[in-house]
Amino acid sequence: MLTTYKAKATKLPGGMQVETQSRNFKFLIDEPKSLGGTDVAMSPVEALLCALAGCQAIIAAAFAKAQGVSFEDFHVEIEGDINLAGFMGKADVRTGFQEIRYTMHFKTDEPREKMEKFVEFIERTCPIGDSLENKVKLVNAGLVIE
Amino acid sequence: MLTTYKAKATKLPGGMQVETQSRNFKFLIDEPKSLGGTDVAMSPVEALLCALAGCQAIIAAAFAKAQGVSFEDFHVEIEGDINLAGFMGKADVRTGFQEIRYTMHFKTDEPREKMEKFVEFIERTCPIGDSLENKVKLVNAGLVIE
């Protein structure tokens, strides 16, 4: 059975600031001044990295007990490369991320081998990771002119 | 030349709340109570939808002039389907989004055909859309045990 998640993005007046919302939760996105924005919030590509690393952290928290792993602290450092010439229309290269790398940090007394297996579990369970590694069908469901 | 974007996700004590950060900007993610969270923020999959729709809105704002298009208001409604049985380990289905659909809304006097072309421009220019439609290589860059 499919669960359908919904969200909305609204361009704010002037500039590039965009308010995004899902259910009753919101966050703002913008671009740095170097790309024409006002730099009051992170950019969409940074938000994507946050969604992926955040998803890995939630999986770690949610499944630790079931996977027989315990840890005190956990964080993920993540980075990804984009060739902005693609986005700018200055080169025929992809506009999106070419590679995303992450390092998971656990504070734990568990043996390393056990934590390596837990990292593999997180990787294969993460919905955002699967969405990025295995393609998602994007569908233009309509254009509304008001 | 590649630009490298960075972010970090830190599990907060107790529960599933995660603080995500890129540069000096932060947003919180959580899960609804039905999935074991405390429901104080959107979930990672909702944040991904916000990143995609937000990226489309920023592209629309950034490139309207260069594409010879003007509009007053713009928003995107977006939704995507996930089979949670995959995530829960209860079925051998993908854990991520199976499909994401969006509807763009413009308040404009421009002819419909011109706006349809602008939507196509947004679609092929959007870095988040490209990342989802055309796969990203994800790399486990290391495991740190503290």
Side-chain angles (χ1 to χ4, degrees):
Chain A
M1 207 183 79
L2 295 178
T3 299
T4 299
Y5 293 90
K6 297 187 181 197
K8 186 178 173 181
T10 306
K11 185 195 168 305
L12 300 181
M16 294 184 188
Q17 290 177 34
V18 175
E19 183 183 81
T20 71
Q21 175 167 9
S22 184
R23 292 180 287 141
N24 51 329
F25 305 116
K26 298 180 180 184
F27 68 91
L28 207 62
I29 59 175
D30 194 5
E31 290 287 337
K33 288 176 184 170
S34 59
L35 289 175
T38 45
D39 202 26
V40 300
M42 69 175 74
S43 69
V45 297
E46 291 168 329
L48 177 66
L49 294 179
C50 286
L52 175 54
C55 195
Q56 292 172 333
I58 282 189
I59 304 274
F63 290 94
K65 199 172 172 187
Q67 294 293 313
V69 163
S70 75
F71 55 86
E72 272 183 72
D73 297 329
F74 177 64
H75 73 270
V76 186
E77 289 177 341
I78 192 165
E79 62 180 28
D81 309 321
I82 292 181
N83 185 335
L84 290 177
F87 172 74
M88 300 298 202
K90 290 179 185 164
D92 189 21
V93 294
R94 73 179 297 182
T95 61
F97 280 106
Q98 300 197 353
E99 182 178 286
I100 294 176
R101 298 170 295 276
Y102 46 80
T103 304
M104 299 190 196
H105 297 246
F106 290 91
K107 186 175 176 188
T108 182
D109 293 327
E110 301 277 14
R112 184 172 185 89
E113 193 180 290
K114 195 172 171 187
M115 297 314 289
E116 282 170 353
K117 283 192 178 141
F118 188 51
V119 170
E120 285 166 17
F121 170 83
I122 294 169
E123 289 177 303
R124 70 173 178 268
T125 306
C126 177
I128 309 292
D130 174 55
S131 297
L132 290 167
E133 274 194 305
N134 300 311
K135 289 190 182 184
V136 178
K137 188 182 176 194
L138 300 188
V139 176
N140 179 349
L143 164 63
V144 179
I145 296 179
E146 288 154 1
Chain B
M1 208 183 78
L2 296 177
T3 299
T4 300
Y5 294 91
K6 298 187 181 199
K8 185 177 173 180
T10 305
K11 185 194 168 307
L12 300 181
M16 294 185 189
Q17 290 178 33
V18 175
E19 182 184 81
T20 71
Q21 175 167 9
S22 184
R23 291 180 286 141
N24 51 330
F25 305 116
K26 297 181 179 184
F27 68 91
L28 207 62
I29 59 175
D30 194 6
E31 290 288 335
K33 289 176 184 171
S34 61
L35 289 175
T38 45
D39 202 26
V40 300
M42 68 175 73
S43 69
V45 297
E46 291 168 329
L48 178 67
L49 294 178
C50 285
L52 174 55
C55 195
Q56 292 171 334
I58 281 189
I59 304 274
F63 290 94
K65 199 172 173 187
Q67 294 293 313
V69 163
S70 74
F71 55 86
E72 272 182 72
D73 298 328
F74 177 63
H75 73 269
V76 185
E77 289 177 341
I78 192 164
E79 62 180 27
D81 309 321
I82 293 181
N83 185 335
L84 291 177
F87 171 75
M88 300 299 201
K90 291 178 183 164
D92 189 21
V93 295
R94 72 179 297 180
T95 61
F97 280 106
Q98 300 197 354
E99 181 178 285
I100 293 175
R101 298 170 294 278
Y102 46 81
T103 304
M104 298 190 197
H105 297 246
F106 290 91
K107 186 173 176 189
T108 182
D109 293 327
E110 302 278 13
R112 183 172 185 89
E113 193 180 291
K114 194 172 171 186
M115 297 314 289
E116 282 170 354
K117 285 194 176 140
F118 188 51
V119 170
E120 285 166 18
F121 170 83
I122 294 169
E123 289 177 303
R124 69 173 178 269
T125 306
C126 177
I128 309 292
D130 173 55
S131 297
L132 289 167
E133 274 193 306
N134 299 312
K135 289 190 182 183
V136 178
K137 187 182 177 196
L138 301 187
V139 177
N140 177 349
L143 164 63
V144 179
I145 296 179
E146 288 153 1

